[in-house]
Amino acid sequence: MADMDEQRAPGTGPPERWRPVPPRWWRHGPPGWSRRADERDQDLASAGRARWPWPSTVLFTAFVLVGSGFADHAQAGERVALAPAGRVLLFLSGAILVWRWRHPVPVLFGTVAAVLVYIGAGYPYGPVFLTVAVACFTAVVSGRRYAAWAAMGTLWAGHLLIAHVLYRGLPPAGDGAGSWSEEIVVATWVVALLAVSELARTRREQWARERAERARAERRRADEERLRIARELHDVLAHSISVINVQAGVGLALLDTDPEQARSALTTIRAKSKEALGEVRQVLDTLRAPGAAPRTPAPGLDRLPELVGQAASAGLTVTVEGEPPALSPGTDLAAFRIVQEALTNVVRHSGSREARVRIRHGEGRLRLLVDDDGPATGADAGGGGNGLAGMRERAAALGGTIEAGPRPDGGFRVLALLPTEAEEDR
């Protein structure tokens, strides 16, 4: 509710049928990805550690060991037979993947080193490069892009050095230099792996941004709804309680001398409190069922005569000039609440018992002017009210403005300029 101090201060490609339809998860990530990524990010931020990927590590390690065993039989006589030392290298290159989310860069360079030693020892080619691919993918997705590029460059350069420079002193004996077509294949594999990893990183960051944006939008909607309900409750209760307060004072003063007038005041209190309870219940129903349609229409300027009668019961004579035009529901409600709040403030904070409401419209704008002759009074003038702030919020939400402040002759004036069609209805 507005106080006197607040009021008396001056105011301020291809055809569509050929385009494949992406799955629903493509925009926000595969099922479970967002949840797992969120959990991992939270772990990294709060505890400085990530989850332990034991199942996948066991699967990768087993695949590399079994596949290399088959490769050993297929390449017998061409490469060195797979000795226990080679199996240890394969096991180590797969086992260290369990730390890939904790320490992605050391794990990546460790797998690269293990693979280069394995190839340099002349052991058969096989799925040994899978461990490097998994470690590279993890490093890029974790944001260690440059380290991943450096590691993959090291892998290609090491393979080039082994195949074309060091092959004479390395097993198997009598092995010749590698073909350049093979190096092109390795280089293509490295580039493709980095490209896929970068694509996954980009998509993951995009999903994270979209999740954050959805969360911000939900918070924004919740804040806007909370402010709307706060304004509605304030406007309903401020006006009703002001009238009840005045009528209670009249009833107490006339209880002994004029019982009939006191009875009339109590009847007004009863009617006004019942009306206030109904409006408060309507606002609370909105909270309980956000998507449900309201049971009663929102008030508008068509209820202005009723508002004038309520002000008259509080001892305030209101003169209305002009007729309201056809307004959108949002503008109609805002205009009614602004006039209601302005008249409530006159009742509470002005010594004048007369107020004027002028309504003008044209050029797509509604002009509401509410003023009184003052002077300012009120025992609760030093409180911290929100009446003018609520008016300004209502007007700003529709693209309008509110000017409120004392008049040069001692009264007070509220001027509202609102679009006749709310922005959200355009």
Side-chain angles (χ1 to χ4, degrees), residues 107-117 132 151-152 154-155:
V107 167
L108 175 57
F109 278 97
T111 57
V112 168
V115 168
L116 288 177
V117 172
V132 177
M152 298 309 291
T154 302
L155 175 66

Side-chain angles (χ1 to χ4, degrees), residues 68-343:
S68 297
F70 284 107
D72 182 37
H73 290 290
Q75 300 174 33
E78 299 177 11
R79 304 289 293 175
V80 176
L82 189 58
R87 298 185 187 277
V88 169
L89 284 173
L90 293 175
F91 175 78
L92 291 177
S93 68
I96 62 175
L97 292 177
V98 75
W99 284 280
R100 66 183 183 270
W101 289 115
R102 283 178 176 262
H103 309 290
V105 174
V107 167
L108 175 57
F109 278 97
T111 57
V112 168
V115 168
L116 288 177
V117 172
Y118 177 89
I119 298 299
Y123 294 123
Y125 291 101
V128 62
F129 291 100
L130 175 65
T131 58
V132 177
V134 173
C136 176
F137 182 87
T138 303
V140 173
V141 169
S142 300
R144 277 70 168 185
R145 305 171 57 201
Y146 298 120
W149 298 347
M152 298 309 291
T154 302
L155 175 66
W156 182 77
H159 185 273
L160 188 67
L161 187 65
I162 291 172
H164 293 274
V165 178
L166 302 177
Y167 67 93
R168 295 183 182 87
L170 296 175
D175 191 20
S179 66
W180 286 104
S181 60
E182 180 181 313
E183 297 306 323
I184 293 175
V185 171
V186 173
T188 303
W189 178 83
V190 168
V191 172
L193 176 59
L194 287 172
V196 171
S197 302
E198 288 289 347
L199 177 61
R201 180 191 61 82
T202 302
R203 292 299 302 172
R204 185 172 183 268
E205 291 179 353
Q206 181 179 350
W207 294 330
R209 287 193 298 270
E210 290 174 353
R211 289 196 304 271
E213 181 58 33
R214 290 197 301 273
R216 286 193 294 269
E218 290 174 2
R219 287 195 297 270
R220 259 195 320 269
R221 286 193 294 268
D223 291 342
E224 291 171 358
E225 183 65 11
R226 186 172 61 252
L227 286 175
R228 184 190 70 81
I229 293 172
R231 286 195 300 265
E232 288 296 315
L233 289 175
H234 170 273
D235 293 343
V236 169
L237 295 177
H239 180 74
S240 301
I241 292 176
S242 295
V243 173
I244 290 171
N245 180 62
V246 171
Q247 291 297 326
V250 171
L252 287 174
L254 300 177
L255 185 61
D256 297 327
T257 59
D258 193 346
E260 288 301 320
Q261 187 67 24
R263 182 187 298 275
S264 176
L266 291 175
T267 302
T268 302
I269 290 174
R270 179 182 178 182
K272 194 60 187 174
S273 60
K274 182 178 179 181
E275 178 186 347
L277 286 174
E279 295 198 31
V280 169
R281 188 177 295 112
Q282 180 180 351
V283 175
L284 295 180
D285 286 342
T286 307
L287 278 176
R288 296 189 181 97
R295 298 179 182 178
T296 57
L301 289 181
D302 57 334
R303 288 180 54 182
L304 194 54
E306 177 185 338
L307 196 60
V308 171
Q310 295 170 357
S313 66
L316 180 66
T317 301
V318 180
T319 303
V320 179
E321 299 178 8
E323 292 293 331
L327 300 171
S328 64
T331 303
D332 206 16
L333 173 61
F336 177 82
R337 293 303 189 196
I338 289 171
V339 174
Q340 183 184 52
E341 177 63 23
L343 293 179

